[in-house]
Amino acid sequence: DAGVTQSPTHLIKTRGQHVTLRCSPISGHKSVSWYQQVLGQGPQFIFQYYEKEERGRGNFPDRFSARQFPNYSSELNVNALLLGDSALYLCASSLRGDRGPEGYTFGSGTRLTVV
Amino acid sequence: GENVEQHPSTLSVQEGDSAVIKCTYSDSASNYFPWYKQELGKRPQLIIDIRSNVGEKKDQRIAVTLNKTAKHFSLHITETQPEDSAVYFCAASMSGGSYIPTFGRGTSLIVHP
């Protein structure tokens, strides 16, 4: 059984550009969460989706947006990239969005570098 | 919101020694405390967790203790091995409903052979 898959694994973008990161949850999982992990810090919560609806939003600017598709995969979009957006972006999936930590699994992340 | 502080940021031990990582949290409503291990270039993986209705939990060489009154919890690793070298994160959250853990800044554990 495949785990949480994220693409691409690495990405280099220029300041001001836009980026789209993708996440496919574990088969059967319907909830996806996104985190930003800056070097030397713990993951910071960005968004949580369950059944295609936003269930939570962290303290990030409106340049960050996300959506979940009918097949439960998800995209994270970041507009007008800043140097400070350079980070590892992690996706986590779980069976449901309302069962606490049950089955919560992280993907390996997308390393975004903004130059 | 919840705030989790984690210490130390770096911990260097000799193989066979014990390692202790400490965390404090601010929200008394938090009742679930997981610990994640993240090896270089890999995803965070849950290694042990504890809920607020118990004070200690053990799994082989790893144990976690919780003091709800003081709002702190700790990870204990005994008989450390080089493969224990990684970054360890503590987190705090509610155990029901939407699971959105608040993470500490991480502890880089280095076990010297």
Side-chain angles (χ1 to χ4, degrees):
Chain A
D1 225 4
V4 180
T5 56
Q6 293 188 242
S7 64
T9 55
H10 296 83
L11 199 53
I12 299 176
K13 288 285 189 178
T14 304
R15 275 179 299 174
Q17 284 189 315
H18 162 271
V19 69
T20 298
L21 310 181
R22 296 177 175 82
C23 171
S24 292
I26 290 172
S27 178
H29 281 195
K30 299 181 178 181
S31 180
V32 169
S33 298
W34 287 96
Y35 293 83
Q36 180 194 66
Q37 186 177 15
V38 173
L39 195 63
Q41 295 186 22
Q44 297 290 314
F45 171 71
I46 311 175
F47 287 109
Q48 185 182 83
Y49 278 80
Y50 174 52
E51 290 283 13
K52 303 185 289 295
E53 290 194 2
E54 183 183 300
R55 290 298 184 93
R57 175 186 285 249
N59 188 24
F60 279 81
D62 291 344
R63 300 184 296 107
F64 289 76
S65 64
R67 55 180 175 168
Q68 187 177 34
F69 298 100
N71 66 354
Y72 304 111
S73 67
S74 178
E75 283 183 354
L76 176 69
N77 295 284
V78 187
N79 292 324
L81 285 167
L82 304 174
L83 295 179
D85 295 330
S86 295
L88 179 68
Y89 287 85
L90 293 164
C91 171
S93 79
S94 61
L95 189 63
R96 292 177 56 152
D98 59 355
R99 289 278 180 86
E102 182 181 324
Y104 203 79
T105 305
F106 281 95
S108 295
T110 293
R111 173 71 64 187
L112 172 65
T113 302
V114 182
V115 297
Chain B
E2 177 65 273
N3 181 51
V4 176
E5 299 285 340
Q6 182 172 349
H7 300 279
S9 57
T10 305
L11 181 58
S12 183
V13 300
Q14 288 297 126
E15 182 177 0
D17 287 350
S18 295
V20 180
I21 301 171
K22 298 182 178 182
C23 291
T24 61
Y25 63 99
S26 61
D27 190 347
S28 57
S30 291
N31 57 7
Y32 175 71
F33 306 93
W35 287 87
Y36 289 86
K37 176 183 180 182
Q38 187 175 28
E39 296 177 41
L40 193 62
K42 296 191 176 180
R43 62 187 179 91
Q45 290 193 284
L46 179 70
I47 56 171
I48 195 168
D49 55 14
I50 191 167
R51 296 176 190 269
S52 60
N53 56 348
V54 297
E56 184 172 357
K57 183 176 179 180
K58 192 172 181 180
D59 182 3
Q60 299 181 353
R61 296 186 296 108
I62 294 174
V64 58
T65 58
L66 171 65
N67 183 327
K68 274 211 76 178
T69 303
K71 295 201 192 82
H72 65 72
F73 56 114
S74 300
L75 178 71
H76 304 253
I77 305 174
T78 58
E79 301 172 24
T80 53
Q81 301 166 4
E83 51 265 39
D84 294 330
S85 296
V87 179
Y88 291 80
F89 294 97
C90 62
S93 79
M94 298 291 290
S95 63
S98 294
Y99 175 56
I100 302 175
T102 300
F103 288 87
R105 294 172 65 94
T107 295
S108 177
L109 174 64
I110 303 165
V111 180
H112 299 280

